[in-house]
Amino acid sequence: VQDALGERRDVIVISWTLMSLDDYRTRVEERIGVAIDPRRLSSPASVAFAEQALERGHAVFVDGQIGGVVRELPTYPHGILFRVLPRGSALPPIGEVFAINKALFEKFQFGYPIPTADPELYSTYVHSEYARTWAIIAKALAATGNREDYTYALDMARALGPQAP
């Protein structure tokens, strides 16, 4: 989308796996001003990188593969990613997280059948991620007693997750 349509040039997608390559890491460092050498950090490099990016005012989102960030820093589901907040920040109330995701998912257009639970299909993975977001939100809403939003989130998790064949 960035290259073909010129949209969202403000978004920088970083493949953490490639950060071990000097050339790739140098390009990332030049683009966002965060210098990091994963071989020389006492804490997980991904956490240090996320903290530096946040300090420089960047919004940081990670997928579930960056477990150190999700475990060590405050995060909440935002689509299929997790929004990362600075260490010590309070998470937004679950009602706000619900509203953010509801507004986001209302823009999605699913003009195709939801995939079956076939582990060979990439679409199965993506829909598992959609369902995971709503399952996390439903679990948090269950504790609030907000039955209407809880039911909506649970229904979304069921509807968007891979379907039985």
Side-chain angles (χ1 to χ4, degrees), residues 109-165:
Q109 296 179 9
F110 299 104
Y112 55 87
I114 302 300
T116 60
D118 180 348
E120 300 289 322
L121 298 175
Y122 181 69
S123 57
T124 298
Y125 166 75
V126 172
H127 276 270
S128 296
E129 295 295 293
Y130 293 152
R132 180 187 66 172
T133 294
W134 286 105
I136 291 168
I137 293 169
K139 183 178 178 180
L141 285 166
T144 70
N146 182 335
R147 192 80 181 144
E148 183 179 340
D149 289 351
Y150 164 76
T151 301
Y152 180 94
L154 198 57
D155 288 347
M156 287 293 285
R158 289 178 181 146
L160 292 174
Q163 305 297 304

Side-chain angles (χ1 to χ4, degrees), residues 5-151:
L5 303 175
E7 294 180 17
R8 294 308 313 247
R9 296 220 180 256
D10 59 318
V11 174
I12 301 166
V13 177
I14 298 170
S15 169
W16 189 252
T17 326
L18 297 177
M19 286 295 283
S20 62
L21 303 173
D22 291 337
D23 290 344
Y24 184 84
R25 190 173 57 257
T26 299
R27 285 195 312 275
V28 169
E29 290 170 357
E30 290 170 355
R31 184 144 185 222
I32 67 172
V34 175
I36 197 126
D37 182 349
R39 297 165 292 197
R40 295 188 184 145
L41 292 172
S42 57
S43 69
S46 60
V47 174
F49 184 87
E51 288 184 310
Q52 286 183 47
L54 289 165
E55 287 170 9
R56 286 173 174 70
H58 297 287
V60 176
F61 296 83
V62 298
D63 64 19
Q65 304 296 319
I66 310 295
V69 173
V70 174
R71 281 189 301 277
E72 290 197 33
L73 298 174
T75 62
Y76 62 89
H78 187 278
I80 63 171
L81 301 174
F82 291 90
R83 175 79 190 255
V84 182
L85 301 176
R87 191 178 297 277
S89 295
L91 292 172
I94 188 57
E96 186 177 326
V97 174
F98 171 81
I100 289 167
N101 281 280
K102 185 176 180 188
L104 178 66
F105 276 80
E106 284 174 350
K107 295 176 187 173
F108 289 10
Q109 296 179 9
F110 299 104
Y112 55 87
I114 302 300
T116 60
D118 180 348
E120 300 289 322
L121 298 175
Y122 181 69
S123 57
T124 298
Y125 166 75
V126 172
H127 276 270
S128 296
E129 295 295 293
Y130 293 152
R132 180 187 66 172
T133 294
W134 286 105
I136 291 168
I137 293 169
K139 183 178 178 180
L141 285 166
T144 70
N146 182 335
R147 192 80 181 144
E148 183 179 340
D149 289 351
Y150 164 76
T151 301

